[in-house]
Amino acid sequence: MTSQAADGPETVAASRRSKLTPEREQEFFDAVLEQIRECGYEAVTMEGVAASTRCSKSTLYRQWKTKPQFVVAALRSRRRSRLVGIDTGSLAGDLREAARAVGRWSMDDTKMLQALGHAVTSDEDLARALREALVDPEIEALREILRRGVERGEISAGHPALEYIPAQMFGVVRARPVVDGEYADPDYLVRFVEAAVLPTLGLT
């Protein structure tokens, strides 16, 4: 059997994909996400990303057949929490540090959520990838912070407010641009935690 006969479509596709280094792939992902933030999802094209990253359109189309597939892959490449590692020794301290961390990236992520707002309503994969990239990791990390507070005895496991803290923390990030016309920066979010979140939990 010749090598040409042995190499089916899946083998050839894998061979083509293997030529792309992880660093170059991440460069493509960063480029498409930045264009979404700045221009909106509908305005982004494979041609535009190819031009900004100095590659051919065929390079992108070999890896990702359509724009939605490309954007989903780019979002999933970001699946990590920026709250992991926060541990000040107290629940109040952890929540203040979480507020500072959220505030540092709230503008970029809020822009992304706004830019993808309409597209995700009609594309299930895109909606799932958005949640996996920008929502789930942070919610899971915040729940871990709250769990440690319960284990330390700072708050009871049955406290009725525990269920709503993630919605409080991340809801205000989405709401402030609408209500005040400004993004929720670290100072604003720390003040929010001290005025609204800690008293709700009975912490000072």
Side-chain angles (χ1 to χ4, degrees), residues 108-175:
D108 280 353
D109 282 1
T110 300
K111 281 184 176 181
M112 181 66 67
L113 289 165
Q114 291 169 337
L116 289 170
H118 175 68
V120 297
T121 62
S122 57
D123 190 319
E124 236 178 80
D125 287 339
L126 195 59
R128 189 180 305 111
L130 180 65
R131 184 170 182 84
E132 289 174 356
L134 301 185
V135 180
D136 290 347
E138 313 304 350
I139 296 296
E140 289 165 13
L142 187 54
R143 285 178 176 152
E144 173 63 18
I145 286 172
L146 295 170
R147 186 189 62 77
R148 288 201 309 266
V150 170
E151 288 181 349
R152 287 191 295 258
E154 296 176 83
I155 186 171
S156 70
H159 195 295
L162 280 175
E163 177 185 355
Y164 304 106
I165 300 305
Q168 268 191 294
M169 293 281 287
F170 293 101
V172 72
V173 172
R174 292 294 307 277

Side-chain angles (χ1 to χ4, degrees), residues 11 13 34 98 123 137 140-141 145 175 189 201:
T11 305
E34 182 60 26
D123 190 319
E140 289 165 13
I145 286 172
L189 288 175
L201 294 171

Side-chain angles (χ1 to χ4, degrees), residues 4-27:
Q4 186 176 15
D7 291 340
E10 291 182 2
T11 305
V12 173
S15 174
R16 286 174 176 171
R17 282 195 296 271
S18 68
K19 294 177 182 177
L20 198 62
T21 66
E23 293 78 14
R24 185 59 166 155
E25 185 176 63
Q26 192 60 54
E27 187 180 345

Side-chain angles (χ1 to χ4, degrees), residues 65-86:
K65 303 302 181 188
T66 65
K67 183 175 80 170
Q69 287 181 13
F70 187 18
V71 174
V72 165
L75 286 167
R76 286 182 172 152
S77 76
R78 292 189 47 186
R79 183 177 166 79
R80 59 189 179 277
S81 173
R82 288 153 291 192
L83 303 184
V84 169
I86 292 176

